[in-house]
Amino acid sequence: MSSAYEKPPPEVLDLVRDGKSEKVDTSDAVLEEARSQAAGANPHSARGFPMDKPADDEDEEEDDDELALAALESLDAIDVFKYDQRADSKIHHAQIPVDNFRRLLMLLLVIAPLDAQESLSRHAERLTPKRIHSLREVADSILWSFTPEQNAGIFYQSFNKIIPTSLPYLFDGLNPLFEHFLFSKNIDLSKRYHSSGSTPLTSPTVPHVPETPLEPLLPREGSILNLDILSQLSFFIKGNNLFRRLRPLYLGEDAGFSLGSIEQKVFNWRAPSILLVSGTRLSSTPEGTRERSFADTLPPKRFPDGALGNGTERRVIFGAYIDVPWKHTYKEAIGGDEMLLFQLSPIHEVFRASTVSKDHLTFTKTGIGLGCPPPRLKNISGISSLTVLGPVSLMLDASLEFGVFTHDSTGGGSFHSSQTRKGDWQDRFEIDNIEIWGCGGNEEAERQRAAWAFEEREAEARKGVKLGKNIEADRALLEMAGLVGNHGASGGSMG
């Protein structure tokens, strides 16, 4: 590397490396003396040098270091760099303005399903005024998990705590976005250039191939799950398990609100699924016969309602990621270590499975429980016991009319307590809608169809059984085969 000026004396470089460049006398007289010394050591230096041959890599690296130091010095950045190395406490006092973070969240929601080979215009076309309003609502739910009502911005401490637990895949959408920026489709890599000139040599023209239409992100939207809620889910469930992979198994508004409908629609799905439930919070004092009947099945309410977030509506959305197939749970609950219990609105938060208890999911005639132990049997006196709620749990009653979400900050249940909200709260709500979506592709759907076909054949076979003249003998035979009778009972009672 050649330069109009020669390398300064070694003592000057040593002072720069030691961070003491402020003590160096940079007057014109000193600089002129340094140039004259260098010129005396090499008389050709005054006239400059031709390009050196790359023979000594160490010298080149040394020159690069000197240029970097000179650049830092010219920008007055050396002191800042030294300060950051001494202590990083400054970052803990930094904050992101709330409005800026809301805009960033809305962008991340839009680009969450973006594929590296997909056109950006497809996503831009979806930004209607209605969609923008929905994006803002979802972004506010996420924003309020950082408790912005207490501060004017998002601090590093809360950011560093919430992202790993509730939003681990928040920034995944930036990867395909920057691929679009870095690898533009307008660059024609088929062009070549002469070695002696700049006239391009073009290869034969390749005909334009239209973009292959992709499958929709959702086969259909539900009353709860839309594209924005789907993007919100992808912030804590990997997108390759969601986008173009979800199938509606049970939609309450279509199939009816009953445990039997859920059993018929969901039990043959042999892959993970997502449960979503929306509702409206009940008042502190039960109103009407149905609310009082529901309240009588629960322990007395000890905790206040949850926070309202940025809105004044009492609407809530809860859900769960269920990593095992559904089934009846008579004695013990089901579920694995990847189970998730979450709240999407009005405040976004994810409660991960704990190893303290394995009561992750129960499905019985008394309802659906997440984080609740299996229901107790009736007492001998015939009086039903109260529903047992877990420390962090979601329970839907047998009629699918009401639900209750409980958060006890002491923890100790099947799901970890909140990492950010240390208080206790309980939301009792009237159910508006329930949806269950299957995570899987064509193979899982084909297995479900095969299971349904098998059950239909079995049902037809049972209908075709004809009884003979000896009815009692035929009935005994059918009971031994498990086709009729109370063969599922585990015992009797003394009366």
Side-chain angles (χ1 to χ4, degrees):
M1 182 189 303
S2 63
S3 174
Y5 303 106
E6 293 301 320
K7 190 182 299 184
E11 56 270 16
V12 176
L13 291 176
D14 292 339
L15 288 174
V16 171
R17 292 193 182 98
D18 293 339
K20 302 174 182 178
S21 59
E22 65 275 4
K23 298 181 180 180
V24 179
D25 186 1
T26 57
S27 62
D28 295 339
V30 175
L31 292 177
E32 186 63 31
E33 181 179 356
R35 291 193 188 99
S36 62
Q37 291 177 0
N42 189 348
H44 297 285
S45 59
R47 299 187 303 272
F49 288 94
M51 294 295 291
D52 297 330
K53 295 181 180 180
D56 193 345
D57 293 339
E58 294 182 358
D59 290 343
E60 291 185 0
E61 293 177 0
E62 186 178 342
D63 289 344
D64 292 340
D65 292 341
E66 293 169 6
L67 288 174
L69 284 172
L72 289 172
E73 182 67 25
S74 64
L75 295 173
D76 294 330
I78 287 183
D79 290 337
V80 176
F81 183 76
K82 288 189 295 184
Y83 176 80
D84 288 343
Q85 283 187 326
R86 288 196 305 268
D88 59 353
S89 61
K90 196 75 172 178
I91 193 174
H92 293 278
H93 300 284
Q95 61 178 341
I96 307 173
V98 172
D99 290 338
N100 292 358
F101 195 54
R102 181 185 288 110
R103 294 189 188 98
L104 175 61
L105 289 174
M106 293 176 67
L107 170 65
L108 293 173
L109 287 168
V110 172
I111 66 174
L114 180 64
D115 186 83
Q117 304 300 323
E118 188 178 3
S119 173
L120 289 172
S121 60
R122 291 179 177 176
H123 294 271
E125 293 170 356
R126 303 189 184 112
L127 294 179
T128 60
K130 181 180 178 180
R131 173 81 190 281
I132 293 176
H133 177 73
S134 175
L135 282 169
R136 186 181 181 87
E137 288 183 343
V138 175
D140 281 341
S141 297
I142 300 174
L143 182 66
W144 275 80
S145 63
F146 295 87
T147 61
E149 75 281 3
Q150 300 176 5
N151 307 295
I154 310 302
F155 283 93
Y156 173 79
Q157 184 177 3
S158 60
F159 185 87
N160 193 42
K161 184 183 295 183
I162 293 173
I163 294 297
T165 56
S166 295
L167 302 162
Y169 311 124
L170 176 66
F171 299 105
D172 282 9
L174 293 177
N175 293 331
L177 179 65
F178 280 101
E179 285 190 32
H180 281 274
F181 292 158
L182 295 176
F183 306 103
S184 174
K185 292 183 178 181
N186 296 327
I187 299 177
D188 189 358
L189 299 179
S190 63
K191 292 184 178 181
R192 293 181 291 110
Y193 290 85
H194 284 293
S195 58
S196 58
S198 59
T199 304
L201 291 176
T202 57
S203 58
T205 304
V206 179
H208 175 70
V209 179
E211 293 183 0
T212 305
L214 298 175
E215 294 183 25
L217 297 174
L218 276 176
R220 59 167 291 187
E221 291 192 0
S223 297
I224 305 175
L225 185 63
N226 54 28
L227 294 180
D228 302 321
I229 297 294
L230 181 64
S231 295
Q232 184 180 4
L233 291 174
S234 72
F235 289 166
F236 58 92
I237 302 174
K238 266 296 187 182
N240 53 15
N241 294 326
L242 298 177
F243 301 122
R244 303 181 180 90
R245 294 282 292 174
L246 291 185
R247 295 174 180 271
L249 303 181
Y250 167 82
L251 302 178
E253 61 181 1
D254 295 340
F257 294 92
S258 70
L259 295 176
S261 296
I262 293 179
E263 178 182 354
Q264 179 185 6
K265 299 285 187 180
V266 179
F267 271 35
N268 286 323
W269 183 259
R270 316 308 297 175
S273 57
I274 295 175
L275 165 70
L276 298 174
V277 54
S278 64
T280 305
R281 283 178 178 155
L282 301 175
S283 59
S284 301
T285 303
E287 301 175 356
T289 305
R290 293 187 303 117
E291 290 187 21
R292 284 194 293 269
S293 299
F294 172 65
D296 290 341
T297 65
L298 302 176
K301 186 174 181 179
R302 300 181 295 121
F303 302 145
D305 292 344
L308 290 175
N310 196 31
T312 57
E313 298 182 0
R314 301 182 64 83
R315 186 170 185 263
V316 293
I317 300 178
F318 297 100
Y321 174 78
I322 301 164
D323 61 346
V324 296
W326 289 63
K327 68 176 184 179
H328 286 286
T329 55
Y330 298 105
K331 296 182 179 180
E332 58 183 7
I334 60 175
D337 296 336
E338 297 182 2
M339 283 273 296
L340 298 174
L341 181 63
F342 51 83
Q343 181 178 6
L344 298 181
S345 178
I347 296 178
H348 174 102
E349 186 146 9
V350 178
F351 309 93
R352 299 189 176 272
S354 169
T355 57
V356 175
S357 174
K358 296 295 183 181
D359 297 330
H360 294 124
L361 172 65
T362 57
F363 187 96
T364 65
K365 62 181 181 180
T366 61
I368 301 173
L370 290 142
C372 301
R376 302 170 184 171
L377 298 176
K378 288 186 177 181
N379 298 329
I380 297 178
S381 61
I383 301 175
S384 300
S385 59
L386 297 176
T387 302
V388 180
L389 304 175
V392 180
S393 61
L394 174 66
M395 191 279 295
L396 311 180
D397 71 345
S399 62
L400 301 183
E401 289 184 280
F402 299 99
V404 54
F405 177 85
T406 304
H407 179 271
D408 187 342
S409 59
T410 58
S414 303
F415 295 95
H416 290 289
S417 57
S418 173
Q419 299 296 312
T420 55
R421 292 184 283 172
K422 297 304 181 183
D424 303 325
W425 71 88
Q426 185 180 84
D427 287 328
R428 298 183 180 186
F429 56 93
E430 183 177 4
I431 295 174
D432 296 333
N433 243 305
I434 301 176
E435 298 177 0
I436 300 177
W437 296 76
C439 304
N442 295 329
E443 184 178 352
E444 289 79 4
E446 186 60 36
R447 289 178 183 174
Q448 186 186 42
R449 284 191 290 267
W452 281 339
F454 176 78
E455 289 181 353
E456 290 177 2
R457 290 194 299 268
E458 290 294 307
E460 291 297 327
R462 292 190 183 100
K463 291 179 181 178
V465 175
K466 296 182 179 179
L467 298 177
K469 295 181 179 180
N470 191 344
I471 297 178
E472 294 297 327
D474 289 339
R475 181 174 181 83
L477 180 62
L478 292 175
E479 285 182 355
M480 286 188 293
L483 298 179
V484 299
N486 192 23
H487 56 275
S490 58
S493 61
M494 297 181 62

